[in-house]
Amino acid sequence: MANKILVVLEQREGQLKKVSFEVAKAGSDLASKLSCDVEAVIVGSDITDINKIGNYGISKVTHLRNSEFANYSASGYSQAVSDFVKEINADVLIIGNTSMGKDLAPRITAKLDGGIAMDVTALEVDGGEIIATRPIYAGKALIDVKVNSDIKVFTIRPNVFNPGEPNDSLAEVSTKDVDVNLKDKVVETKQASGKLDVAEASIIVSGGRGMKDAESFKLVEDLAEVLGAAVGASRAVVDAGWRPHGEQVGQTGKTVSPNLYVALGISGAIQHLAGMRSSKYIVAINKDADAPIFQVADYGITGDVFEVVPALIEELKK
């Protein structure tokens, strides 16, 4: 039985990242099921609006502050969080399975001599024990796991745990200045080519094998530009080398939950649907009327993407 849950929030340039609201809600819901306490911690330098995490069920947040923490430091962040876990006697940690989380969580787990389950898509309670669900075999199957160590760490897949609508509550924020020996530090973070990240975007235009080749993928980029959207891709496209892995949507890529998801030439394999079916609105354009993508689409057009999309772009520009 858990005594206290600690959710580790994430910030970038002093702003809470979207995944912070997801881990907050996941931690709050789990604490309700276990009837235990929950609080949050965030590491950084100057961070604004931390108290808004209270909108998602967390009433207490501690800001571990150091002027050297403006950017991520594997040694600094892991030491600061590990020390804080011992201080408050937390035994369950929930962290986002982001680039930072995938590096930070194992380091914290090792320092605390704990156990870890990564890339979790569900957290349930059975007989007072936490049961985590995570994908295996490249997303082809799901497995339920139980962490038996005293300290349990879970990283949750972004865009899977829906934070829901925020309430009006604000969290109590306390600041704790920490002094750690930094052995490394991220000096600068750059976004590739100024492109939107599919994991954060509210609108995504994705292309599949139906786009025929890498050169034809420009049609996907053109529609994305008109809509102010991020560009996504199916696994087949990434495997073919047409697009980078960072754009892959699906169970073996990134799970997304935008307001609008436009699928161009994507048939809708089960692994792809698992990564985007929680989108608020799904629009599919495919010449195969029996494509599985139409089973989850809110709006569908049976037609050739090379005829439909140029006409759509023309109308949107008007």
Side-chain angles (χ1 to χ4, degrees):
M1 182 68 73
N3 296 315
K4 180 177 288 187
I5 296 172
L6 179 67
V7 296
V8 181
L9 309 179
E10 188 171 334
Q11 56 88 18
R12 176 70 58 79
E13 296 179 349
Q15 300 288 326
L16 288 175
K17 293 195 69 176
K18 178 184 174 185
V19 73
S20 292
F21 306 124
E22 297 168 16
V23 296
K25 190 63 167 62
S28 175
D29 289 348
L30 188 61
S32 296
K33 295 174 183 177
L34 291 167
S35 299
C36 69
D37 294 332
V38 59
E39 61 181 89
V41 66
I42 187 166
V43 185
S45 179
D46 298 318
I47 310 173
T48 60
D49 297 330
I50 300 176
N51 58 357
K52 286 185 178 179
I53 208 67
N55 295 171
Y56 302 92
I58 301 294
S59 59
K60 182 179 180 182
V61 186
T62 301
H63 173 196
L64 302 180
R65 185 173 62 184
N66 186 305
S67 60
E68 296 294 320
F69 283 166
N71 291 325
Y72 178 60
S73 164
S75 60
Y77 277 42
S78 59
Q79 188 62 58
V81 174
S82 300
D83 290 345
F84 185 70
V85 169
K86 296 174 184 177
E87 180 183 324
I88 67 170
N89 198 31
D91 51 3
V92 176
L93 277 75
I94 301 178
I95 304 172
N97 197 62
T98 59
S99 296
M100 188 191 90
K102 286 185 281 190
D103 183 70
L104 179 64
R107 295 173 185 272
I108 294 173
T109 306
K111 288 179 180 295
L112 296 173
D113 195 23
I116 187 170
M118 298 190 70
D119 200 22
V120 169
T121 56
L123 288 170
E124 298 296 339
V125 174
D126 183 11
E129 296 287 349
I130 302 171
I131 307 298
T133 302
R134 62 180 305 275
I136 56 173
Y137 303 133
K140 292 181 176 63
L142 297 173
I143 186 172
D144 289 340
V145 299
K146 182 173 72 171
V147 179
N148 291 321
S149 56
D150 292 335
I151 303 293
K152 302 170 176 59
V153 181
F154 303 95
T155 68
I156 65 170
R157 178 173 288 199
N159 294 309
V160 170
F161 290 78
N162 185 358
E165 293 298 320
N167 58 41
D168 295 327
S169 302
L170 295 176
E172 175 191 341
V173 181
S174 59
T175 301
K176 179 180 175 66
D177 290 316
V178 295
D179 184 19
V180 296
N181 181 24
L182 298 187
K183 299 177 181 177
D184 57 85
K185 184 175 70 171
V186 173
V187 177
E188 185 179 10
T189 302
K190 291 185 177 181
Q191 189 169 340
S193 306
K195 293 181 180 179
L196 294 170
D197 183 353
V198 290
E200 301 282 339
S202 59
I203 303 175
I204 299 171
V205 179
S206 280
R209 202 183 337 237
M211 298 311 299
K212 294 185 178 179
D213 53 45
E215 290 70 27
S216 300
F217 221 86
K218 187 177 186 306
L219 198 58
V220 178
E221 295 179 326
D222 290 344
L223 180 56
E225 183 178 356
V226 173
L227 292 172
V231 174
S234 67
R235 177 174 177 171
V237 166
V238 173
D239 286 348
W242 299 356
R243 305 299 294 184
H245 184 267
E247 294 180 2
Q248 184 177 324
V249 174
Q251 205 156 31
T252 54
K254 293 182 178 179
T255 301
V256 300
S257 186
N259 291 328
L260 174 62
Y261 188 87
V262 183
L264 307 181
I266 294 176
S267 62
I270 187 65
Q271 288 88 354
H272 187 80
L273 298 184
M276 46 66 73
R277 69 189 313 154
S278 63
S279 303
K280 188 172 183 180
Y281 295 106
I282 299 171
V283 176
I285 303 174
N286 198 298
K287 64 182 179 181
D288 180 6
D290 296 322
I293 191 73
F294 288 123
Q295 296 176 14
V296 299
D298 297 285
Y299 302 94
I301 300 174
T302 303
D304 190 334
V305 291
F306 297 103
E307 296 176 1
V308 176
V309 177
L312 180 59
I313 291 173
E314 186 178 343
E315 288 299 315
L316 287 169
K317 285 183 176 179
K318 290 179 182 179

